[in-house]
Amino acid sequence: YFDCVGRGDEENCDNVTCPGHYRCLGSAVCVHGDHLCDGWPQCPQHDDEWKCQQHPCPPQCSCQGNAFVCQHHVPFEQYPDLRYLAVEGVKMGLQDFTHNTYLIYLSLKLSVQRIDEFFLPNLRVLDLSENFLTYVNMNVLNKLPNLKTLLLSKNPVVSLSSGISNATSPLANIDLSHSKLTHFECETVSSFKLIES
């Protein structure tokens, strides 16, 4: 479709790149990673949904494409293509999801007592609200290069230590509302939007 006078918007389309995004097949359309395999095609040829391995939904979970919401333990390593995962009330640690490298959103509630170092290269939102965390070492977040939002509300967090490199981290929001925070190092949160109550 020509949108510009002189049709310049359709010139040199073979050279279009999509840094950090998926370029649709045979098109200059770029799709953000959040929209890959979400069950809704955004590409003209719907190829943003082609490479998605669909799995049967595990019992006691509700699923839509590669998005699972579960109320019990599931061997999540058998679902490496997951993009969105919310688990509540299951004793699991973050290291249990190291095979799920396509995860963009991860929510664990009522199960986490500590944050160990783990690598999820595509994770953008980590929701650890309503857990049992008392101490958070920000060093562990260095293995989450695309993390933008960390939700820690309703945890008994009393200490937040430094370690993450603000200059290179996309982390923009930390929610510590309804926590018992008494100590945090200023350089840890100086460039973040800190939500506290």
Side-chain angles (χ1 to χ4, degrees), residues 54-128:
Q54 297 296 319
H55 301 281
C57 190
Q60 296 182 352
C61 293
S62 60
C63 308
Q64 180 177 348
N66 286 314
F68 287 18
V69 177
C70 299
Q71 301 292 323
H72 72 107
H73 188 276
V74 172
F76 292 109
E77 68 275 2
Q78 295 178 9
Y79 303 92
D81 300 320
L82 286 177
R83 300 301 195 274
Y84 178 104
L85 178 59
V87 182
E88 183 173 333
V90 178
K91 296 286 185 204
M92 299 186 81
L94 294 166
Q95 66 280 359
D96 293 322
F97 303 98
T98 54
H99 297 296
N100 304 104
T101 57
Y102 293 111
L103 275 174
I104 293 169
Y105 177 94
L106 176 60
S107 174
L108 298 176
K109 295 191 178 182
L110 303 173
S111 63
V112 180
Q113 295 181 344
R114 57 184 265 181
I115 302 176
D116 293 316
E117 193 168 281
F118 65 108
F119 179 61
L120 288 176
N122 296 299
L123 194 67
R124 290 182 176 87
V125 177
L126 178 57
D127 184 355
L128 297 175

